Amino acid sequence: IYVASNRKLYALNPQGDFRLLRHTNHVLQGASCPLITDDLFIVGTSLTGLMAFDKHNFDLKWTCETGPAIFYTAPYTWKNARTVDAAPVQVGSSILFGASDGVLRLADVADGTVRWTYSLGTPIFTTPAVVDGVAFLADFAGNVYAFAL
């Protein structure tokens, strides 16, 4: 079980015992569920965007920065919030995620390099659903989108 909380990363066994705990210099507050791959623990943050850590030692592997939030939502009422509040989804060798800057991103899972973006113009607080090569997503305004991947 992997958990990010404020400036700490945790790995716990199913009984709740700590396997690994690491303090970081990164503010990891966010409402999103992390994405766990074979090697990475990928976390949405409130100040940076998306961050990926080695899941075996919690070394930082990459950061995929987002833009400033279009508007601020509780509990992120400070300037320059750059939140990823919904879980990223792995699609092959890429990660698909939306952010409070209103941009949907497809990034490389290995290094976080952005491969594709689409600006919706309103914050994205939902996790994309991917079915048969099509990503479905709702934005804050209530619009539903479908993107062929």
Side-chain angles (χ1 to χ4, degrees):
I1 301 168
Y2 293 86
V3 178
S5 176
N6 197 8
R7 296 180 186 269
K8 296 178 188 169
L9 297 168
Y10 304 88
L12 301 106
N13 66 23
Q15 292 75 35
D17 300 318
F18 291 107
R19 289 187 8 242
L20 183 60
L21 166 64
R22 184 162 181 182
H23 296 265
T24 74
N25 292 325
H26 309 288
V27 177
L28 302 172
Q29 294 171 327
S32 67
C33 179
L35 173 63
I36 308 300
T37 70
D38 289 340
D39 299 313
L40 298 174
F41 175 20
I42 302 170
V43 180
T45 71
S46 59
L47 291 177
T48 307
L50 209 59
M51 300 181 84
F53 298 89
D54 182 300
K55 78 174 195 180
H56 305 290
N57 60 22
F58 293 157
D59 286 346
L60 179 64
K61 290 299 188 182
W62 54 258
T63 299
C64 185
E65 293 188 11
T66 60
I70 292 173
F71 58 83
Y72 304 113
T73 58
Y76 315 113
T77 55
W78 55 81
K79 288 185 178 182
N80 298 321
R82 296 168 182 264
T83 62
V84 175
D85 282 319
V89 175
Q90 187 168 1
V91 182
S93 62
S94 299
I95 300 168
L96 185 66
F97 70 100
S100 61
D101 63 357
V103 178
L104 180 64
R105 291 172 176 81
L106 187 70
D108 188 296
V109 72
D111 62 13
T113 301
V114 175
R115 296 179 174 173
W116 174 86
T117 63
Y118 188 86
S119 179
L120 302 179
T122 186
I124 303 168
F125 298 132
T126 58
T127 299
V130 179
V131 179
D132 295 330
V134 178
F136 298 91
L137 180 78
D139 66 17
F140 188 75
N143 300 303
V144 177
Y145 299 84
F147 297 91
L149 301 175

